[in-house]
Amino acid sequence: MAEQRSASEIIFANSKRVAPLSLIALKGAQELADKINKYLVEWSNNAGYKYDNFLIENDCPRFSSGDGKGIIKSTVRGNDVFLIVDVGNYSCTYNMFERDNAMSPDDHFQDLKRIIQAISGKAHRINLIMPLLYGGRQHRRNYRESLDCAVALQELEAMGVANIITFDAHDARVCNAIPLMGFDNVIPTYQVLKTMFNNIEDLSIDKEDFMVVSPDEGALNRNMYYASVLEVEMGMFYKRRDYSQVVNGRNPIVAHEYLGNSVEGKDVFVADDIISSGESMLDIAIELKKRKARRIIAYATYPIFTNGLDKFDQAYRDGMIDYVFGTNLTYRTPELLSREWFCDVDVSKYIAYLIMALNHDVSTGKVIDPHKKISNLLEQHKQKI
């Protein structure tokens, strides 16, 4: 509680709010938004304000033909509005011609634009919390291809969105499409390490016992940060691909080649932005086990598991993988949450800090110093061990 009070006191003492705060959670983001709302209500009440709720009811109903519309059920005139959307929540459905259809990222993005239209320019400012960036996996153009994410960001800018906060973007350079717009790509490193230490009590982070390995060259910077703050060695894999063919939109991986020091007898931490089919993560775990690694601790900001959980269940039973950590920034199935090998990383408090800081025009660096928090966390963990 002391940590919460100190951060909120910094925010409220710095300056007055930009405008009254409102949260709008689109379909599929209610669970995360409810947690964020509880923090904001608590901090506001501690600061002497009397708020019971910041959430604004909304809906995007569909006609039987599939056409939709956005409705906001309370005024947001003059408010600092924060929209929260999970474009990856495929558990949401809508009825069209008497058939239930799962909502795709395209459907979620279209509903987002409907709600922005419903605001009708009456809000003081529109901010968007979009943890899983729409179209973010298509981050570069080869030959005659679309760039959906870049176009989507330009659409949002044209509709009046002032700030976008996303988490662990596949390629944050997509923000170059909107150079005059606020764009923050946040990495929840502290939250991941805190959850890992809480769930693996006997985890030693000494150089002799622990190592970080990047699953590919794209995740290199992410894993370099973990290795640097933990002061351990780092290795990496690179993917050897067959560029003569395309399968499911990409060149198939022929092999994972390892570069780095020995992992023998060490716990190995592997961080990536997304676990989709999970094949790459499992292949890497197998390769690390061949090299006599002790425990494999995998992490993905977005654990979506598009091909189901069976292969990971088998890998856990076979001792190929020991833990998988993932955040609550996107939808996780009840089946995933029930697995003993999966650990959920709650990022709602972090988002609440960011929202409150923006609402009071406070530098987020003054409110949350990840390196300082991680240093304190490591010290506490070493004392416990």
Side-chain angles (χ1 to χ4, degrees), residues 60-221:
C60 289
R62 301 266 180 163
F63 299 99
S64 58
S65 61
D67 294 337
K69 62 180 178 180
I71 302 172
I72 297 176
K73 300 183 180 181
S74 179
T75 181
V76 293
R77 184 182 294 273
N79 288 7
D80 195 18
V81 176
F82 288 81
L83 298 163
I84 306 172
V85 60
D86 178 12
V87 299
N89 194 332
Y90 60 91
S91 71
C92 301
T93 61
Y94 64 93
N95 188 273
M96 178 176 174
F97 290 96
E98 298 185 348
R99 294 182 181 179
D100 283 334
N101 298 273
M103 290 184 67
S104 71
D106 293 340
D107 294 314
H108 284 290
F109 185 68
Q110 200 65 30
D111 278 356
L112 170 64
K113 292 193 290 184
R114 291 184 175 114
I115 293 299
I116 294 174
Q117 291 178 65
I119 293 173
S120 304
K122 302 300 190 298
H124 175 79
R125 186 174 64 178
I126 299 175
N127 311 275
L128 175 60
I129 312 292
M130 184 189 282
L132 182 57
L133 196 60
Y134 171 74
R137 296 190 72 184
Q138 174 57 13
H139 62 287
R140 64 175 180 265
R141 168 178 282 167
N142 292 315
Y143 303 109
R144 294 173 294 278
E145 294 182 343
S146 63
L147 282 173
D148 293 24
C149 186
V151 172
L153 292 175
Q154 290 175 351
E155 274 190 276
L156 294 171
E157 183 179 35
M159 296 182 76
V161 175
N163 297 295
I164 292 180
I165 296 176
T166 190
F167 282 78
D168 207 349
H170 192 66
D171 190 339
R173 290 175 296 181
V174 72
C175 70
N176 291 332
I178 47 167
L180 300 180
M181 182 179 172
F183 184 95
D184 289 296
N185 179 45
V186 184
I187 311 295
T189 310
Y190 169 75
Q191 288 72 22
V192 174
L193 292 176
K194 184 178 180 180
T195 306
M196 186 168 68
F197 294 157
N198 287 339
N199 283 272
I200 313 175
E201 294 183 356
D202 64 338
L203 183 66
S204 170
I205 51 172
D206 292 334
K207 286 185 177 181
E208 296 76 17
D209 304 318
F210 189 84
M211 190 169 174
V212 173
V213 171
S214 177
D216 54 39
E217 60 275 17
L220 196 56
N221 288 339

Side-chain angles (χ1 to χ4, degrees), residues 295-316:
R295 290 183 294 190
I296 308 300
I297 305 165
Y299 161 71
T301 307
Y302 303 104
I304 60 177
F305 292 95
T306 56
N307 289 8
L309 306 174
D310 292 343
K311 290 183 178 179
F312 275 80
D313 288 337
Q314 187 62 48
Y316 178 70

